[in-house]
Amino acid sequence: MPADETTETCHPFALIRIGDVGYTEVTVRNGGLRGPDDGMRTAQLDSPPVAQIPRATAPARSHLVTIHDIRATRDAHRLELLDLIPTPRAQTSTVDVPVVGPHGGPLRVLAIGINFGPEHTGIAPYTTQLCEYLVERGASVSMFTGVPHYPGWIVDPSCRWRLRRVERRGRFEVRRLRHYVPKKQTALRRAAYELTFALQVALQQPKARPDIVLAVVPSLLSAVAAQRIAARAGVPLVVWVQDLMGRAAAQSGMDGGAKVAGVVAAIEKRVLRHADQVLVLNSHFAEYVQSIGVDSSKVTVQPNWTHVAEPTGANREQTRARLGWHPDETIVLHTGNMGLKQDLENVIAAARLVDERGTRSVRFVLMGDGSQRESLQRLAEGVAAVEFLPPVPSEEYADILAAADVLLVNERASSVDMSLPSKLTSYLRAGRPVISASPAEGGTAAEVKRSGGGLVVEPGSPQSLLDTVERLATDPQSARLMGQRGRLYAAENLDAQRALRALLGALGPHPAGARERVDAA
């Protein structure tokens, strides 16, 4: 970098290394400069301050700068932005008191959703972790859910021949309700999937009258059944919207989806307008539910959180070698569901472009399962630059993300605001740059831009995707900084405990008996 070049960044934390000669002049606005604990000069700075740190005092040391905006001017020395890390914060002690229902005992929550653990991808981890958190806080939780089937859309053998099975998961009860699971996704088969689960839910009687009913969408029709249960009990209904089902029918590319989108949207509108509280993932979702008549006072925006562990720090080179990834390859990894919405034909087309160049500099890896996996594998026959891997155990997942060079979200061009990929929270935590081949006006692109952790490219354009991958491969410094920004964003905004506390707060307070109890017809 030339001696007179100025570097500016607007991240809240930065680690700066002092070079070998001369002085480093650091101008910090709204922040402070602090040296290490071994006697290095410490300056607490006001706005706008200037501090000079002599090389002789701390040659080649790293110094933590707590900042909102930093401008570092270099003069005949080497200054390098090494990492983005949080500074220690003032610690506050909080005591989580048990959650109490309107009757004075533990809050009784009935949760209803078709996806639940042991499914480890998609919506299931969030519903599972929320129920576990509520129990930890002293609530009494019952869960009505479907049979494990996602993302492979294959029924777990242990649930195949039983209409209902009751399990204990720690300190709460889980009712597994058998329903139809389509291997191929069409509008008709999806309707059967939703309807069979909803009918099963409608036939259930909770062991005790709940204080609140939480319906997770999808499934949409089971939320209709949940609404009925809440009305009979005279208790509030909270709908947790993970996917916008009307838009999903219209945008997903499912055979027949566009024809039924109006009906689905009408059901969705009715459910959401009659809910006491609607939880959504982002501002795009909030704008939509308010546009269909949901009062803004009922809408709470709460993003999903990072539900996977931090990378363990396992040797990255060894992980890559175990997976057969060569050191000189740029590994572009897509994980999770392989469905219609993901439009992974775009990725295979980008891999064909790599093959046409006659080099193996880039490898696209599709790891996971889904309704389109078999057809994608047939499409990829003979394409050397694409690889399919099965889903991996949760304890390996974070390390495999960290072993890749680029993490990919790929969406159909029509999928503007139907859902927000759950994989994105895990990607940001992994500390690798993200490429989002998504509509620029959609929620996924907005989240990637907000995090600073990646780049957004035109969906459905294999050439744009490959060009962006190669751009990151030839600029490792930018790629590294994007990964660091994403990791910092995840730490600051996608913390599980903070999100779970917010969800608990959103579940109340609701006035006890806010509804008149409706007797069963």
Side-chain angles (χ1 to χ4, degrees):
M1 185 182 289
D4 60 351
E5 185 170 343
T6 297
T7 303
E8 183 170 355
T9 180
C10 296
H11 311 302
F13 311 106
L15 187 67
I16 290 181
R17 171 168 290 167
I18 307 304
D20 294 331
V21 295
Y23 288 77
T24 297
E25 181 177 274
V26 181
T27 303
V28 185
R29 294 195 296 274
N30 303 320
L33 180 64
R34 186 180 62 197
D37 297 330
D38 61 357
M40 170 62 192
R41 171 187 170 191
T42 299
Q44 296 298 329
L45 306 173
D46 295 321
S47 175
V50 175
Q52 290 186 327
I53 305 175
R55 178 207 60 81
T57 307
R61 288 192 180 277
S62 297
H63 303 283
L64 191 65
V65 179
T66 308
I67 58 173
H68 290 288
D69 182 19
I70 177 169
R71 183 180 297 274
T73 303
R74 304 172 66 254
D75 184 12
H77 61 269
R78 181 170 177 270
L79 182 147
E80 180 183 0
L81 181 64
L82 292 179
D83 202 355
L84 300 173
I85 59 175
T87 54
R89 295 185 172 190
Q91 297 296 313
T92 58
S93 297
T94 59
V95 178
D96 287 336
V97 297
V99 290
V100 179
H103 46 79
L107 181 71
R108 293 192 292 260
V109 179
L110 173 60
I112 299 171
I114 201 166
N115 299 107
F116 198 72
E119 294 176 0
H120 62 274
T121 188
I123 295 167
Y126 300 107
T127 307
T128 306
Q129 289 186 12
L130 176 59
C131 289
E132 291 172 344
Y133 177 76
L134 291 172
V135 170
E136 289 173 3
R137 291 292 306 274
S140 174
V141 176
S142 295
M143 180 74 204
F144 293 175
T145 190
V147 293
H149 64 280
Y150 186 85
W153 295 90
I154 298 172
V155 178
D156 187 284
S158 65
C159 300
R160 191 165 291 164
W161 306 112
R162 301 178 64 177
L163 287 177
R164 190 182 91 162
R165 189 176 77 178
V166 178
E167 305 171 354
R168 296 294 302 180
R169 188 179 180 98
R171 291 179 286 164
F172 66 97
E173 179 185 278
V174 178
R175 292 193 200 179
R176 297 273 179 197
L177 308 177
R178 185 68 168 94
H179 54 89
Y180 171 67
V181 176
K183 182 64 176 174
K184 182 181 178 182
Q185 297 292 304
T186 66
L188 183 61
R189 291 177 179 180
R190 178 74 187 210
Y193 165 77
E194 291 252 354
L195 183 59
T196 52
F197 179 64
L199 289 174
Q200 278 275 53
V201 170
L203 293 172
Q204 303 305 306
Q205 289 291 334
K207 279 189 174 181
R209 177 175 176 265
D211 298 317
I212 194 166
V213 176
L214 172 67
V216 184
V217 177
S219 117
L220 180 60
L221 293 183
S222 69
V224 176
Q227 186 179 55
R228 181 68 175 166
I229 293 172
R232 285 202 305 262
V235 301
L237 171 70
V238 177
V239 179
W240 190 8
V241 180
Q242 294 281 349
D243 288 350
L244 295 171
M245 300 303 292
R247 289 189 169 181
Q251 298 175 6
S252 67
M254 183 185 299
D255 186 21
K259 295 180 180 179
V260 301
V263 174
V264 175
I267 297 171
E268 182 175 60
K269 178 179 179 179
R270 180 183 181 278
V271 168
L272 298 182
R273 290 181 68 175
H274 285 82
D276 294 275
Q277 188 79 4
V278 178
L279 309 178
V280 296
L281 302 185
N282 57 35
S283 60
H284 290 74
F285 279 28
E287 290 171 4
Y288 172 76
V289 300
Q290 290 174 44
S291 74
I292 62 174
V294 180
D295 191 282
S296 60
S297 64
K298 294 183 178 182
V299 180
T300 298
V301 177
Q302 177 52 57
N304 282 339
W305 56 93
T306 302
H307 65 81
V308 300
E310 289 270 10
T312 65
N315 186 284
R316 186 167 181 262
E317 287 70 28
Q318 290 179 0
T319 301
R320 289 175 68 97
R322 175 171 61 84
L323 294 168
W325 298 348
H326 301 146
D328 57 349
E329 285 183 306
T330 298
I331 300 298
V332 184
L333 176 63
H334 179 282
T335 71
N337 188 35
M338 300 181 188
L340 291 167
K341 174 183 176 290
Q342 285 71 37
D343 189 30
L344 294 174
E345 293 84 356
N346 180 57
V347 180
I348 294 172
R352 289 186 188 277
L353 294 177
V354 177
D355 282 7
E356 290 171 5
R357 296 180 182 183
T359 66
R360 290 298 304 272
S361 57
V362 176
R363 186 192 307 197
F364 291 93
V365 180
L366 305 179
M367 185 176 78
D369 206 345
S371 62
Q372 301 301 110
R373 179 176 172 126
E374 291 182 3
S375 63
L376 289 168
Q377 286 178 306
R378 289 193 296 270
L379 181 65
E381 288 178 1
V383 182
V386 67
E387 175 186 18
F388 288 81
L389 293 178
V392 296
S394 298
E395 57 270 21
E396 298 179 23
Y397 182 63
D399 286 335
I400 291 177
L401 293 182
D405 298 294
V406 177
L407 302 174
L408 176 62
V409 177
N410 197 87
E411 295 184 306
R412 186 173 295 275
S414 61
S415 300
V416 178
D417 270 331
M418 56 177 277
S419 64
L420 189 67
S422 60
K423 64 173 68 70
L424 184 55
T425 61
S426 305
Y427 282 6
L428 293 172
R429 190 172 194 176
R432 296 291 167 219
V434 176
I435 292 179
S436 178
S438 309
E441 66 274 25
T444 304
E447 184 74 356
V448 171
K449 292 174 184 176
R450 189 180 301 116
S451 72
L455 300 170
V456 177
V457 304
E458 180 184 357
S461 173
Q463 188 65 63
S464 295
L465 174 58
L466 182 57
D467 288 347
T468 306
V469 169
E470 293 178 334
R471 171 183 161 191
L472 288 175
T474 56
D475 188 359
Q477 176 74 355
S478 293
R480 182 171 59 82
L481 290 177
M482 286 180 196
Q484 292 164 349
R485 291 170 194 155
R487 189 172 70 235
L488 177 61
Y489 179 84
E492 289 293 295
N493 298 280
L494 305 177
D495 176 71
Q497 288 300 308
R498 197 156 47 230
L500 289 166
R501 289 191 191 100
L503 286 172
L504 176 59
L507 293 178
H510 296 282
R515 296 170 174 267
E516 291 185 5
R517 186 166 176 165
V518 178
D519 294 329

